[in-house]
Amino acid sequence: AHRGKFPRCLDGAPLVLPREETAWRRGLLAWLEARGVTPVIRGEFDDTALMKAFGHAGTGFFFAPSVTADEVCAQYALKEVGEVMEVRQELYAISVERRITHPAVRAITEHARGELLRPR
């Protein structure tokens, strides 16, 4: 029902989003507004897994970080309709130690850096 070129295909389309207080949501809505696209917000979620489940159930389109797009599409049997390069989601890892010394924590951190910083 919502065919056409991205992001115009989202105009009037149902959309599920992260909760209102998030910078990511504000950035996405500003990006849509700048393009004259007005979706119909069908749900707001604190939990991104729940948001994806509602999107999978047909409640509406949703945005996912580019780094996880392939995994999300495979897991929920979805199709990517477009990519928003201008909006970024910031993630922070906070440690009480100045240097990461535990081998497991170091391995996880190095893997995350590789995944988050690799080009898609």
Side-chain angles (χ1 to χ4, degrees), residues 37-116:
V37 175
T38 307
V40 177
I41 299 173
R42 290 283 171 88
E44 302 174 356
F45 299 89
D46 286 325
D47 183 337
T48 58
L50 190 57
M51 183 177 71
K52 292 171 195 168
F54 271 76
H56 170 71
T59 304
F61 290 91
F62 66 91
F63 294 92
S66 296
V67 70
T68 63
D70 293 339
E71 179 184 332
V72 169
C73 288
Q75 181 178 356
Y76 293 95
L78 299 171
K79 180 182 171 193
E80 183 178 324
V81 296
E83 189 170 16
V84 178
M85 297 302 293
E86 297 86 352
V87 180
R88 304 253 184 230
Q89 183 178 26
E90 295 182 2
L91 304 171
Y92 299 93
I94 300 171
S95 170
V96 294
E97 300 174 9
R98 284 196 161 274
R99 292 181 34 194
I100 298 172
T101 56
H102 192 281
V105 175
R106 187 176 27 219
I108 291 168
T109 303
E110 289 170 4
H111 179 74
R113 274 194 192 114
E115 287 296 309
L116 293 172

Side-chain angles (χ1 to χ4, degrees), residues 4 6-7 10 15 18 20 29 32 40 58 60 64 77 98 102 104 116:
F6 180 80
L10 298 179
L15 186 67
E20 259 186 62
L29 290 178
L32 289 166
V40 177
R98 284 196 161 274
H102 192 281
L116 293 172

